[in-house]
Amino acid sequence: MHELSLCRSLVRQATLVAAEHGAPGIRRVCVRIGPLSGVEAELMREAFPLASRHTAAEGARLEMTTSPVRVHCPRCEREAEARVNDLSCPLCGHWQTRLTGGDELLLVSVDLAAPIAAPSVPSSP
Ligand SMILES: [Zn+2]
């Protein structure tokens, strides 16, 4: 399953972030998925618990947002938001556009569990 290997690599990235910060665990992993990435959000949701088992990300919540499809138009020389099923330029209708966004899968942020605080020593007056 394609999504399982994607989740594994997300979990790997997230656990690296946690290790860098000395965090004992991960609470939330936020990713951005382009509608043209071929990634099924539903399959990601199913694969994430499997991919994160026995890692710092076990039990973390996976949050997914969809990024817009963006194209660059060589005629207008501008970038604009296009529709998933129509990648022509929304400004002039030119069809030979270049896709600049919407096919990505990005790790946006990782919420870390706070390290267990050392018991504070009460200062005696
Ligand atoms: Zn255009």
Side-chain angles (χ1 to χ4, degrees):
M1 187 160 83
H2 176 58
E3 278 76 6
L4 184 57
S5 64
L6 290 174
C7 275
R8 285 216 176 98
S9 93
L10 283 175
V11 165
R12 200 155 41 233
Q13 288 177 56
T15 51
L16 279 176
V17 173
E20 269 170 31
H21 291 82
I26 296 167
R27 288 207 186 110
R28 193 169 59 147
V29 176
C30 298
V31 296
R32 192 156 62 215
I33 300 172
L36 303 177
S37 63
V39 176
E40 293 282 343
E42 203 47 53
L43 295 178
M44 288 292 283
R45 211 181 297 284
E46 287 172 17
F48 188 75
L50 296 173
S52 60
R53 198 184 289 164
H54 306 308
T55 72
E58 185 164 11
R61 203 163 79 231
L62 178 67
E63 258 178 36
M64 290 171 283
T65 53
T66 308
S67 52
V69 174
R70 299 188 67 84
V71 293
H72 179 268
C73 174
R75 189 187 280 169
C76 303
E77 294 188 342
R78 279 168 68 182
E79 203 180 295
E81 211 168 295
R83 290 201 305 270
V84 175
N85 54 0
D86 179 10
L87 299 181
S88 59
C89 175
L91 305 168
C92 74
H94 190 59
W95 58 275
Q96 279 181 312
T97 56
R98 186 168 53 85
L99 189 70
T100 56
D103 60 348
E104 69 275 33
L105 172 69
L106 290 174
L107 179 65
V108 178
S109 65
V110 180
D111 281 9
L112 302 172
I116 298 150
S120 57
V121 180
S123 54
S124 42

